[in-house]
């Protein structure tokens, strides 16, 4: 399995979604995935386009990726792309979902601390190859309010809810104090991750995964 697939091993695991159904989340309800534009998509063509976009964002940077260049690299007609997506940002959002769809369930450890450290270690390692994609999505959401709402509903909220469910279940087991708000613990995990991903002032590596896990566990007591 490539590191591209590994990025969401933890956040989209089957266990996380099972716990999500048991948890009471403070997030807003998710909207349904919008209907596809144009004729029925060929799954192989779709995957080729999305994977090509990820590669181009990593090598060229988001701002230099064009629909024409994407079509040429993916060996498809540009009108095929325009039939299926409205904007480059929409393609990038679906590419991020492709990563999630390819992920396998992670193995829950015997404690929340070990599970969280495993989650962060795998995520940070995979971000070495996919970080530019997620930074691009975050950047686009800052300049386009409509895309920001879509990004939150289709991508961010699902992952926040999955992690919050893990925290709530750990709270039921007594690993987290009853007075601690699991929603804020999610902020404490994702906030530092996005901060380093966007500013790139320090590495997202194994040492940081270990240190951040310790900070979250202390806050949970």
């Amino acid at each position: 399995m490539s590191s591209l697939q590994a990025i969401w091993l933890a956040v989209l695991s089957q266990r996380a979604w099972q716990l999500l159904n048991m948890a009471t989340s403070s997030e807003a309800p998710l909207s349904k995935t919008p209907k596809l534009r144009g004729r029925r998509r060929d799954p192989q063509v779709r995957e080729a386009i999305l994977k090509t976009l990820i590669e181009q964002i990593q090598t060229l940077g988001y701002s230099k990726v064009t629909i024409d260049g994407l079509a040429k690299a993916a060996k498809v007609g540009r009108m095929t792309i325009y039939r299926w997506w409205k904007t480059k940002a929409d393609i990038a959002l679906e590419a991020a979902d492709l990563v999630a769809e390819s992920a396998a369930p992670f193995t829950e450890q015997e404690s929340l601390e070990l599970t969280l450290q495993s989650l962060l270690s795998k995520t940070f390692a995979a971000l070495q190859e996919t970080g530019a994609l997620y930074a691009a999505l975050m950047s686009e959401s800052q300049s386009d309010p409509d895309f920001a709402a879509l990004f939150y509903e289709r991508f961010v909220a699902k992952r926040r809810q999955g992690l919050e469910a893990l925290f709530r279940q750990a709270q039921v087991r007594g690993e987290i104090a009853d007075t601690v708000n699991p929603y804020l613990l999610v902020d404490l995990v994702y906030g530092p991750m996005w901060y380093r991903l966007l500013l790139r002032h320090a590495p997202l590596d194994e040492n940081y995964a270990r240190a951040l896990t310790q900070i979250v566990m202390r806050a949970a007591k």
Side-chain angles (χ1 to χ4, degrees):
M1 179 180 296
S2 66
S3 56
L4 177 63
Q5 294 174 318
I7 184 173
W8 299 114
L9 285 175
V11 295
L12 283 182
S13 68
Q14 293 176 352
R15 178 60 175 160
W17 284 115
Q18 290 171 354
L19 294 175
L20 173 57
N21 292 330
M22 299 165 55
T24 302
S25 175
S26 51
E27 301 281 6
L30 302 179
S31 65
K32 296 182 179 179
T33 302
K35 294 182 180 180
L36 302 179
R37 304 172 70 227
R39 66 185 183 186
R40 184 180 182 85
R41 298 181 183 181
D42 182 316
Q44 293 183 334
V45 175
R46 168 186 174 268
E47 184 173 340
I49 294 172
L50 297 179
K51 287 186 174 180
T52 300
L53 177 73
I54 295 172
E55 293 171 359
Q56 289 196 329
I57 290 177
Q58 290 296 128
T59 57
L60 303 176
Y62 181 79
S63 63
K64 294 183 179 180
V65 175
T66 65
I67 298 298
D68 287 345
L70 176 60
K72 182 177 180 180
K75 298 180 181 180
V76 300
R78 62 195 299 270
M79 292 310 299
T80 296
I81 295 178
Y82 281 120
R83 279 197 301 269
W84 294 348
W85 296 281
K86 292 181 179 180
T87 67
K88 181 174 68 175
D90 289 331
I91 309 174
L93 179 58
E94 194 161 323
D97 279 335
L98 175 65
V99 176
E101 291 167 3
S102 301
F106 76 105
T107 302
E108 189 172 4
Q109 308 295 321
E110 59 266 28
S111 69
L112 173 63
E113 181 175 353
L114 291 177
T115 300
L116 181 59
Q117 184 168 323
S118 175
L119 181 160
L120 294 179
S121 295
K122 294 173 182 177
T123 299
F124 293 172
L127 279 172
Q128 300 304 315
E129 291 188 12
T130 59
L133 169 65
Y134 299 102
L137 291 170
M138 181 64 78
S139 176
E140 188 71 17
S141 70
Q142 301 308 300
S143 59
D144 185 340
D146 292 335
F147 180 79
L150 187 65
F151 180 44
Y152 182 82
E153 291 174 356
R154 288 181 54 188
F155 193 82
V156 175
K158 290 188 291 186
R159 285 139 190 94
R160 286 186 58 89
Q161 289 174 339
L163 184 56
E164 183 182 347
L166 290 177
F167 284 138
R168 289 190 181 279
Q169 188 62 23
Q171 196 168 44
V172 171
R173 296 194 302 266
E175 294 184 79
I176 295 178
D178 292 338
T179 55
V180 174
N181 185 342
Y183 185 79
L184 295 182
L185 290 180
V186 176
D187 285 343
L188 189 55
V189 171
Y190 283 129
M193 183 193 77
W194 278 106
Y195 187 73
R196 286 205 177 191
L197 178 63
L198 295 175
L199 296 185
R200 293 181 290 182
H201 64 289
L204 284 167
D205 55 18
E206 179 65 28
N207 290 334
Y208 191 52
R210 189 179 301 109
L212 183 55
T213 298
Q214 293 301 315
I215 290 173
V216 173
M217 292 307 301
R218 285 198 293 269
K221 300 301 182 181

